[in-house]
């Protein structure tokens, strides 16, 4: 069938690319592969299954549960729970595997399936590849008492809220917070967590109907949140995506605080508390140079990875680091979570405001963002982007000219015949000029 796992599970148009039949096959294959890899320790395996509120999640949940149970796995349905909550409950309930049905920030017609190993960790590439190879293979089906049993575990949501609230020592009494829940999986967890910490909570886009998830709301469309924070006279606002593994923030003046700024604020918090392992933060190559300069000023180190939170997580686990993330708002705090957690991120940002007595606008000034221009050049041979001598020479010359005041990045798309040209420079005009020139060279040198 070819490669179907992407950087964040299997994802596609529900009932077209991602069908009930495929969901059953994936679940059966995952149970077999994990079982043969020793993940079940020769005992009757258990799994937790959760989803975000989108309509297609209902039939996909049924298909996943059916596949697992038919393979002899006992299943606990968690209902609508954020992705990081599913990871946490996989560990808390000592399940042998977890499954999250969500397409994260994608529009409603899409959906996805993400498998988690014991402890709530994402599956490594070799296990995902093994699952793909085992799809639709003949297998001996258990019968009688050997088939899996299915039940509901609705108490998990409360346990997850307690975990989030207990991750900070500060109370949020007297704070007014606006939460944009993206009509997604955080519509209960987000408000309940902030209320438990004493904050006055105003919610928007917290009424999922199965069709409105991520629709002109959440972290990909923060306009409503920016207006609501100002109108409500709130101290801050936080926007999640559909499965609540991302968070972007808005200060009291309605200005957006992105993932780079959030990372810097949390890095300084962890540094002050002596919890930032090796004084190091992990981010992707797309993070603004301003983040690197801010961390350097504070005596901290930035490790860059390829784009994708799984690569950030891999680097964190390999180096034993405690903080990493992406400009898009994926923030991973490994002291408290095995994956990006939007509500956790929001809670720690609000707690830092209390701890320092500073407004979010003030905290965010730690990062001075350099103007960043990103151009997509389509219809080119992206595979030659890293080897064409003329193009590489022009990139090197532009990088040398910008020096420490800017940066050039050429990145082939993983799915399209597109090369992305990213330039950071001291001024918008200079960044645009360099990006336009390099894009022209990409078109000329890599033309199909």
């Amino acid at each position: 069938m070819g490669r179907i796992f992407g950087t964040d599970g299997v994802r596609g148009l529900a009932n077209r690319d991602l069908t009930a039949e495929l969901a059953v096959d994936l679940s059966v294959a995952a149970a077999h592969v994990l079982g043969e890899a020793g993940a079940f320790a020769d005992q009757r395996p258990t799994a937790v299954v959760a989803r975000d509120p989108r309509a297609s999640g209902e039939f996909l949940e049924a298909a996943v549960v059916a596949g697992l149970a038919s393979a002899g796995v006992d299943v606990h349905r968690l209902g609508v729970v954020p992705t990081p909550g599913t990871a946490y409950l996989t560990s808390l309930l000592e399940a042998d595997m977890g499954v999250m049905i969500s397409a994260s920030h994608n529009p409603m017609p899409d959906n996805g399936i993400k498998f988690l190993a014991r402890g709530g960790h994402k599956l490594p590439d070799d296990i995902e590849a093994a699952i793909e190879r085992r799809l639709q293979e003949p297998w001996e089906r258990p019968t009688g008492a050997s088939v899996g049993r299915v039940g509901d575990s609705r108490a998990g949501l409360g346990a997850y809220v307690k975990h989030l609230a207990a991750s900070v020592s500060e109370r949020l009494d007297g704070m007014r917070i606006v939460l944009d829940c993206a009509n997604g999986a955080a519509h209960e967890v987000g408000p309940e967590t902030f209320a438990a910490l004493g904050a006055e909570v105003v919610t928007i886009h917290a009424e999922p109907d199965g069709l409105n998830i991520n629709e002109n709301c959440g972290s990909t469309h923060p306009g409503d949140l920016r207006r609501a924070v100002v109108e409500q006279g709130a101290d801050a606002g936080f926007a999640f995506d559909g499965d609540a593994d991302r968070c972007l923030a808005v200060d009291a003046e309605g200005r957006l605080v992105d993932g780079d700024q959030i990372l810097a604020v949390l890095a300084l918090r962890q540094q002050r508390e002596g919890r930032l392992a090796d004084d190091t933060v992990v981010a992707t190559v797309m993070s603004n140079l301003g983040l690197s300069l801010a961390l350097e000023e504070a005596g901290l180190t930035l490790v860059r990875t390829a784009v994708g939170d799984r690569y950030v997580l891999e680097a964190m686990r390999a180096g034993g680091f405690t903080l990493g993330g992406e400009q898009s708002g994926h923030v991973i705090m490994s002291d408290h979570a095995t994956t990006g957690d939007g509500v956790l991120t929001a809670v720690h940002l609000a707690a830092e405001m209390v701890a320092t007595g500073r407004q979010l606008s003030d905290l965010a000034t730690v990062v001075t963002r350099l103007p960043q221009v990103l151009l997509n050049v389509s219809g080119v041979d992206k595979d030659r982007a890293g080897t064409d001598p003329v193009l590489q020479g022009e990139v090197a010359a532009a990088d040398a000219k910008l020096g420490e005041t800017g940066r050039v990045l050429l990145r082939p798309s993983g799915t399209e015949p597109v090369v992305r040209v990213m330039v950071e420079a001291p001024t918008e005009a200079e960044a645009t000029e360099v990006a336009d020139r390099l894009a022209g060279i990409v078109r000329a040198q890599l033309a199909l």
Side-chain angles (χ1 to χ4, degrees), residues 36-77:
E36 292 174 11
F40 301 155
D42 296 324
Q43 60 189 7
R44 190 176 178 94
T46 60
V48 298
V49 176
R51 61 182 178 87
D52 70 23
R54 67 189 77 211
S56 60
E58 296 167 1
F59 81 77
L60 288 171
E61 176 191 55
V64 167
V65 170
L68 292 174
S70 72
V73 179
D74 290 338
V75 180
H76 302 284
R77 287 183 301 215

Side-chain angles (χ1 to χ4, degrees), residues 106-178:
N106 283 30
M108 182 277 295
D110 289 349
N111 216 324
I113 300 176
K114 184 186 309 183
F115 294 97
L116 301 168
R118 174 176 278 275
H121 298 284
K122 291 185 178 182
L123 298 184
D125 289 344
D126 62 324
I127 295 295
E128 290 184 342
I131 292 171
E132 290 179 351
R133 290 194 297 270
R134 301 286 291 273
L135 289 173
Q136 299 180 335
E137 69 170 2
W139 56 291
E140 185 175 345
R141 300 169 184 271
T143 59
S146 296
V147 301
R149 304 300 298 273
V150 180
D152 296 320
S153 296
R154 302 303 189 196
L157 210 62
Y160 177 49
V161 169
K162 289 181 180 178
H163 161 69
L164 293 170
S167 70
V168 294
S169 58
E170 297 87 351
R171 294 279 303 172
L172 306 182
D173 301 284
M175 294 189 77
R176 177 174 252 201
I177 301 294
V178 181

Side-chain angles (χ1 to χ4, degrees), residues 110-407:
D110 289 349
N111 216 324
I113 300 176
K114 184 186 309 183
F115 294 97
L116 301 168
R118 174 176 278 275
H121 298 284
K122 291 185 178 182
L123 298 184
D125 289 344
D126 62 324
I127 295 295
E128 290 184 342
I131 292 171
E132 290 179 351
R133 290 194 297 270
R134 301 286 291 273
L135 289 173
Q136 299 180 335
E137 69 170 2
W139 56 291
E140 185 175 345
R141 300 169 184 271
T143 59
S146 296
V147 301
R149 304 300 298 273
V150 180
D152 296 320
S153 296
R154 302 303 189 196
L157 210 62
Y160 177 49
V161 169
K162 289 181 180 178
H163 161 69
L164 293 170
S167 70
V168 294
S169 58
E170 297 87 351
R171 294 279 303 172
L172 306 182
D173 301 284
M175 294 189 77
R176 177 174 252 201
I177 301 294
V178 181
L179 300 180
D180 182 343
C181 299
N183 291 315
H187 73 281
E188 292 181 289
V189 168
E192 288 181 13
T193 301
F194 274 87
L197 289 167
E200 178 187 355
V201 183
V202 177
T203 59
I204 62 173
H205 302 301
E207 298 180 355
D209 61 10
L211 306 178
N212 58 3
I213 187 170
N214 297 322
E215 186 177 11
N216 297 318
C217 59
S219 61
T220 53
H221 299 88
D224 284 357
L225 178 63
R226 297 176 67 178
R227 286 185 289 272
V229 168
V230 175
E231 291 170 0
Q232 294 288 333
D235 296 286
F238 302 102
F240 311 120
D241 64 339
D243 70 335
D245 65 353
R246 296 187 187 197
C247 170
L248 292 180
V250 169
D251 68 24
E253 286 75 42
R255 291 184 293 254
L256 191 67
V257 178
D258 71 9
D260 288 340
Q261 294 165 302
I262 290 170
L263 272 177
V265 172
L266 295 182
L268 296 182
R269 175 179 170 86
Q270 289 193 11
Q271 180 191 39
R272 184 182 72 245
E273 296 176 346
R275 297 187 295 108
L276 187 64
D278 290 339
D279 285 340
T280 297
V281 176
V282 181
T284 77
V285 292
M286 294 302 293
S287 280
N288 194 275
L289 182 58
L291 172 63
S292 178
L293 297 175
L295 296 178
E296 183 180 342
E297 177 70 20
L300 305 179
T301 299
L302 177 65
V303 172
R304 289 190 184 269
T305 73
V307 175
D309 66 310
R310 75 177 300 149
Y311 301 114
V312 173
L313 186 55
E314 286 174 4
M316 290 176 65
R317 294 180 70 178
F321 305 130
T322 52
L323 181 65
E326 295 185 282
Q327 196 178 70
S328 61
H330 266 121
V331 175
I332 304 167
M333 290 180 276
S334 61
D335 284 349
H336 306 290
T338 60
T339 186
D341 191 323
V343 179
L344 181 73
T345 300
V347 164
H348 280 252
L349 277 175
E352 181 66 356
M353 292 170 64
V354 172
T356 60
R358 298 167 64 188
Q359 294 295 311
L360 184 57
S361 57
D362 186 26
L363 291 172
T365 60
V366 65
V367 174
T368 301
R369 289 180 52 81
L370 272 70
Q372 186 181 81
V373 173
L374 177 64
L375 300 178
N376 293 327
V377 185
S378 60
V380 295
D381 183 0
K382 64 179 182 179
D383 295 331
R384 292 193 289 118
T387 58
D388 183 85
V390 173
L391 179 58
Q392 289 301 304
E394 291 290 343
V395 169
D399 235 348
K401 183 178 179 180
L402 290 170
E404 295 184 358
T405 64
R407 190 165 62 103

